[in-house]
Amino acid sequence: MKSLRLNPIVLILINIIAPSMYIFISGKYLQAFLFVFASMLLILMGRFKSLAALFIVYFGMMGIYYMTVNNEKLQFIGLFLIVLVQSVPCLALASILVRKYNSAQLLSALETIHIPRVLVIAVTITLKYIPTFKREFSYILESMRLRGISFSLKHPIKSFQYFIVPQLFRCAALAEEVTAAGFVKGIDVPVKRTSYYEERIRVSDAAVLLVFVTGLAGGFLWKRM
């Protein structure tokens, strides 16, 4: 069975709209709907590793919540997790943007909705820097291991510096590299870009958005009942 391929705009819209709906819709309904919706979408897109991670993180947090919610000393942990768990389905869908789509696909998709180019570039760079940050972090850990430096709970601030200081220097260097690469590719040219990728809204995209909007509409009805 061929996996579903969505326009990146669909995933971006879902991640923008879904968190704001907690203001208007019952939290329990929305949390359950987003979990089921994200799970089905991950299955259709063939992202089974992300689905497994979603189940582990979601039910792990819920388990800790139920174990600590009645304990006066640990109750704050459960209350913190029950708030955090609401964003887990959205984060699972956002991870697809980072792992599945390259920069050219994201730029092509964002330019179809005619938002300012400065915003298009900022969103694209932000999404694509996440895996870069993860890779750089692994390099820092490997470098620390080779030098015999380990994280110590006795000196958390000093240990934290071993991670942050190299990462800040790498961020500065990578910012210059990204800027230079953008100029080489003509990202500052005030004309419409052409792209190898044509990211258009398809029937499948419209169907996913329809299911998402219908689920949100059901939440309004649920709240009134």
Side-chain angles (χ1 to χ4, degrees):
M1 180 180 177
K2 188 176 180 181
S3 59
L4 177 67
R5 188 181 184 283
L6 290 178
N7 189 309
I9 296 296
V10 175
L11 297 174
I12 292 173
L13 287 175
I14 291 172
N15 277 278
I16 291 174
I17 297 171
S20 62
M21 288 295 104
Y22 279 101
I23 302 173
F24 309 103
I25 300 176
S26 170
K28 291 183 178 180
Y29 172 89
L30 186 58
Q31 184 176 328
F33 167 70
L34 289 178
F35 177 77
V36 174
F37 178 79
S39 299
M40 295 304 298
L41 207 55
L42 290 171
I43 292 173
L44 292 174
M45 297 184 74
R47 311 297 295 186
F48 298 107
K49 290 184 178 179
S50 297
L51 179 66
L54 170 62
F55 271 75
I56 292 171
V57 173
Y58 185 88
F59 288 109
M61 286 184 173
M62 292 299 295
I64 295 173
Y65 166 73
Y66 285 115
M67 288 188 294
T68 59
V69 69
N70 294 321
N71 189 316
E72 292 183 0
K73 295 182 179 179
L74 301 176
Q75 191 177 38
F76 71 96
I77 297 176
L79 295 176
F80 173 75
L81 289 179
I82 198 62
V83 173
L84 192 62
V85 77
Q86 296 174 354
S87 62
V88 171
C90 292
L91 290 175
L93 295 179
S95 68
I96 302 175
L97 286 170
V98 176
R99 297 176 182 178
K100 187 177 179 65
Y101 302 96
N102 58 41
S103 300
Q105 289 172 309
L106 290 172
L107 279 171
S108 176
L110 289 169
E111 286 183 341
T112 59
I113 57 177
H114 306 292
I115 61 177
R117 178 170 292 187
V118 175
L119 184 59
V120 170
I121 296 170
V123 171
T124 304
I125 292 176
T126 300
L127 289 173
K128 298 312 296 180
Y129 184 73
I130 295 173
T132 303
F133 182 89
K134 182 180 178 181
R135 186 171 62 250
E136 294 294 329
F137 195 74
S138 66
Y139 293 158
I140 293 171
L141 290 176
E142 181 66 18
S143 179
M144 289 174 61
R145 188 187 66 80
L146 293 174
R147 289 170 171 79
I149 302 172
S150 60
F151 185 84
S152 174
L153 293 176
K154 295 181 179 179
H155 306 284
I157 297 177
K158 188 175 181 180
S159 299
F160 191 64
Q161 289 176 346
Y162 293 139
F163 294 104
I164 295 301
V165 174
Q167 189 64 251
L168 291 176
F169 278 101
R170 285 300 300 155
C171 284
L174 288 170
E176 293 181 2
E177 294 175 9
V178 170
T179 302
F183 285 140
V184 169
K185 295 181 179 180
I187 205 167
D188 60 330
V189 178
V191 295
K192 185 178 180 180
R193 294 175 67 256
T194 57
S195 176
Y196 173 79
Y197 303 96
E198 291 187 5
E199 298 294 341
R200 298 178 179 178
I201 298 295
R202 305 177 181 85
V203 175
S204 56
D205 300 318
V208 169
L209 285 175
L210 180 61
V211 172
F212 178 68
V213 172
T214 303
L216 295 182
F220 285 100
L221 296 175
W222 178 279
K223 190 175 182 179
R224 293 183 178 181
M225 291 175 62

